[in-house]
Amino acid sequence: MGKAVLAEHPPPGGVLTGMPTHLPFRKPLRAALAVLMLAAVTPALVAPAPARAGLLDNVLSGGDEAALGAQEHPKILAQFGGAVKDVRLQGYIDQLGRKLAATTALAREPWTFTVLDSDVVNAFALPGGYVYVTRGLLALAKDEAEVAGVLSHEIGHVTAHHSAQRQTRQTIAGLLAAGVGLVFGNDTLAQLAGLGGTAMVASYSREQELEADQLGVETLRRTGYDPFAMATFLETLRRDSQYEGLRAGNKGGDGFDFLASHPATEERVRRAADLARAIPPGGARPRDPYLAAVDGMIYGDSPENGYVRGRTFAHPQLGIAFTVPQGYSLLNGADQVVAKGQNGTAMAFDGGSAAGVSDPASFLTGVWGKTATLSNLQRLTIGGMAAATATTRGESDGNSADIRLVAIRAPDGKMYRFTFLAPAGSLARFDNDFQAAANSFHRMTAEEAARYRPRRVQVTAVQPGDSVAGLVRRMPQEPYAEELFRIINDLPPGTPLQPGQRVKVIVGE
C-alpha cells in the first residue's frame, strides 16, 4: 500500500467505478491478482477496460514485440511497486543483464533490466527485451552466477520470442494472474475469478520453460559462469516455496512466488543439471559483487508500501492499521492489501478519493456500488470515523460469491474500503470475521507508527565461535528464522560455518 497518485492506467480486468483517483498501494503483483479477482467476481462494481484492437488482440510479430513491451512496461512498474530506489542494486543488475544479453542473437537490440521494489520472489520478461527481477528473489541467491542464471532464463524467453507464439492478451493476463489459486488456497475462488486453469498456471508452456532453461545454461557458459548455477538456484526456490508454505501453515508448500509462474519441478532441476553436465566443467561463482550489491537491501515490505507484521497491516506514512482474525494471512499488494482465509474466504482493502462524497453510505450506494444490488445498508462508526456497510452478490461463469462492502471516511477525506468475499450462501458463517477485521481499522498513534521500521539484508563475516543459532538470534522478527537463514545462505542442516565466511542475516524491527 503506497503513496497517493492518479491511476493513469486501469489495472488488468478493469477499474473500480467511482475511484478515479484511486490510491495505488505501491507494491508487487499481488494487487493485480486482487483486482482481477474483484473485477470478475463483482462485475456489477466494475467498469470494463476499454477494448483495444491491434497488438493486444493478435499474435505478435517481431516488430510488435518492442512496441508492446514499451507499452506494458509502465503498467508493470505500477503493479509491482515501481523500480527500487537503490541505485547500486539497480546498476548491478543492469550491468550484469547487459553482459549476458550481449552474448545472444539479440545483442544489438535494446534491453531494459529492472529490479522491482517487491518482496515477492519472482522474475519475468516482456516482449522487446524487458526483463524484471524482484528484490525478494535477489535475497535468496548465493552468488552472482545464480542471479545470472535467473536473468539468462528470462533473456531466453525473449530471444526465443515465446511471447510472440501466443495471444498477447492471454500472456499478459496470465503473467499478472499467475498463482491466484495459490494465493486463495483453493480452486473455488480462482474459478470464481474467471481465471480458469490457463491463467492460473505458468505464463509459458512446459516446453517453453525447458527451452528457456537450455538457452539460459548456454548463456551462462558463454559468459564464463558455472552452468550448474541455474540448477542450484531452482533448488533454492523450491526450498523457499516450502518455507513460505510453512509460514502460512500449509505443509504442502503452496506459496506465492516464482514457482507460481515458473514451475520448478524436480524434473526441471534435474534437466538443468543434465544440461550443465553436458558442458565442460568449470565456470565462475563470484560472491563478492553480489554480496556488495544486496548488503543493506530492504527485505520484506518497504516503508512506501506499509508493513505486514503477522496478522496486522500498518502503514505509518498513511497513519492507518488493521488486523485480520486468526486463520487469515495477509499479502501486501501494489494497489490493495489482500488476505486469504479458510474455506474459500478472501478480503481486499484499498482506499482513495471519495469522489466528492463525504458520507460513506452515500458513497456506497451512489459511487462504489452504484450499479450493484445492495442489501442491509447500515451506518457505522469505526475507530471514531464515519463508516457504512452493505452486502451484495457477484457472479461469474455461473459461480457466485457473497460479498460484504465496508466504506470508512478518514479525517483527511480519503475513503478506505474493505471488500470481503465468501462462497455463496456462507456469509453468515464468516461475517463475524469480516466485521472484526473492518472494526479493527484505526488511525495510528505516533508511538504506534514509530515501532515500524524496514528490515534489511545485512552481510556479516562469521567470527570464530559463531554458530548458526547465534546468528539466527539476530533475526528474532522472522518466523522460522533458522529455516530462512539456511535458505538465503544455502546452508543445509549440518553444514558448519567457517570463520571469515560471509553470510546474510535479516535485521530490523
Side-chain angles (χ1 to χ4, degrees):
M1 204 171 149
K3 302 176 180 177
V5 299
L6 291 177
E8 296 180 351
H9 302 286
V15 294
L16 290 170
T17 303
M19 300 294 274
T21 53
H22 181 62
L23 183 69
F25 299 154
R26 292 285 179 193
K27 205 149 184 308
L29 164 69
R30 303 163 179 158
L33 305 182
V35 172
L36 286 168
M37 178 191 73
L38 293 176
V41 177
T42 61
L45 304 182
V46 176
R52 288 179 290 178
L55 286 179
L56 290 181
D57 294 315
N58 299 305
V59 176
L60 292 181
S61 60
D64 292 336
E65 292 191 39
L68 178 64
Q71 173 182 293
E72 298 298 320
H73 177 64
K75 301 174 188 178
I76 293 295
L77 293 180
Q79 292 292 349
F80 280 75
V84 296
K85 299 177 178 66
D86 188 332
V87 176
R88 178 181 59 179
L89 181 63
Q90 175 59 50
Y92 170 71
I93 293 300
D94 184 68
Q95 182 179 28
L96 177 58
R98 292 182 183 281
K99 173 183 175 181
L100 297 164
T103 70
T104 71
L106 298 181
R108 296 187 178 183
E109 298 298 320
W111 289 85
T112 302
F113 295 90
T114 303
V115 182
L116 295 168
D117 188 18
S118 167
D119 67 334
V120 169
V121 177
N122 214 336
F124 55 90
L126 291 183
Y130 289 85
V131 176
Y132 306 86
V133 61
T134 63
R135 55 177 171 77
L137 182 143
L138 293 176
L140 296 179
K142 179 171 67 175
D143 52 36
E144 183 170 285
E146 290 193 343
V147 178
V150 173
L151 296 176
S152 295
H153 174 93
E154 301 306 331
I155 289 170
H157 281 307
V158 175
T159 60
H161 303 284
H162 285 159
S163 294
Q165 299 171 17
R166 61 202 306 127
Q167 288 283 339
T168 301
R169 185 183 298 277
Q170 181 182 29
T171 301
I172 301 300
L175 170 68
L176 294 177
V180 161
L182 300 183
V183 170
F184 295 110
N186 57 40
D187 290 339
T188 304
L189 276 179
Q191 294 300 324
L192 281 175
L195 297 173
T198 301
M200 285 170 51
V201 299
S203 297
Y204 299 104
S205 68
R206 172 183 175 275
E207 290 74 18
Q208 288 172 327
E209 285 296 312
L210 293 177
E211 182 182 6
D213 284 344
Q214 182 173 354
L215 292 170
V217 168
E218 283 294 320
T219 299
L220 289 175
R221 179 191 63 79
R222 288 194 303 269
T223 46
Y225 291 107
D226 182 359
F228 278 97
M230 183 174 293
T232 59
F233 193 61
L234 283 171
E235 176 61 21
T236 296
L237 290 171
R238 186 188 65 81
R239 291 169 59 200
D240 179 67
S241 182
Q242 292 177 333
Y243 166 75
E244 291 298 330
L246 186 65
R247 287 185 57 181
N250 182 353
K251 295 182 180 180
D254 287 345
F256 181 82
D257 54 21
F258 182 88
L259 302 188
S261 56
H262 297 72
T265 60
E266 292 184 8
E267 176 193 2
R268 273 193 68 196
V269 176
R270 289 195 302 268
R271 175 71 178 269
D274 289 341
L275 291 169
R277 290 189 188 97
I279 297 172
R285 302 284 307 236
R287 296 196 74 219
D288 290 348
Y290 161 74
L291 291 176
V294 300
D295 191 17
M297 178 181 71
I298 289 178
Y299 180 87
D301 298 321
S302 63
E304 291 82 1
N305 302 326
Y307 303 98
V308 169
R309 297 290 186 266
R311 292 184 290 113
T312 295
F313 172 78
H315 199 310
Q317 292 185 4
L318 295 177
I320 58 172
F322 64 86
T323 300
V324 296
Q326 190 76 34
Y328 287 75
S329 58
L330 283 166
L331 300 170
N332 190 4
D335 292 330
Q336 296 176 323
V337 180
V338 180
K340 71 166 184 175
Q342 300 170 346
N343 303 303
T345 56
M347 179 198 87
F349 169 82
D350 66 359
S353 166
V357 179
S358 61
D359 175 48
S362 298
F363 176 80
L364 254 179
T365 58
V367 180
W368 186 12
K370 182 177 181 179
T371 60
T373 301
L374 300 179
S375 304
N376 307 312
L377 178 68
Q378 293 178 279
R379 297 178 184 273
L380 310 167
T381 299
I382 294 178
M385 294 168 279
T389 185
T391 60
T392 187
R393 175 167 289 188
E395 293 190 3
S396 178
D397 297 329
N399 297 300
S400 299
D402 290 340
I403 303 166
R404 175 170 291 283
L405 307 175
V406 178
I408 306 169
R409 186 180 184 275
D412 61 5
K414 291 187 180 70
M415 198 73 74
Y416 289 98
R417 313 184 302 183
F418 286 93
T419 304
F420 301 100
L421 297 98
S426 64
L427 180 61
R429 178 181 174 189
F430 301 107
D431 210 20
N432 286 340
D433 283 348
F434 294 166
Q435 295 187 48
N439 287 331
S440 73
F441 180 83
H442 65 278
R443 302 290 297 176
M444 300 176 71
T445 64
E447 181 181 4
E448 183 183 3
R451 293 201 296 265
Y452 291 91
R453 294 289 185 272
R455 304 195 294 266
R456 295 183 182 272
V457 175
Q458 182 183 82
V459 177
T460 185
V462 174
Q463 302 298 314
D466 278 349
S467 64
V468 169
L471 292 171
V472 166
R473 281 195 289 271
R474 303 185 193 179
M475 302 167 50
Q477 73 287 350
E478 299 299 333
Y480 302 99
E482 181 172 343
E483 285 83 354
L484 176 61
F485 177 82
R486 291 187 177 280
I487 289 169
I488 65 176
N489 291 294
D490 192 26
L491 285 172
T495 304
L497 294 172
Q498 301 296 330
Q501 176 184 359
R502 294 203 293 166
V503 295
K504 293 172 287 184
V505 295
I506 308 301
V507 298
E509 299 298 325

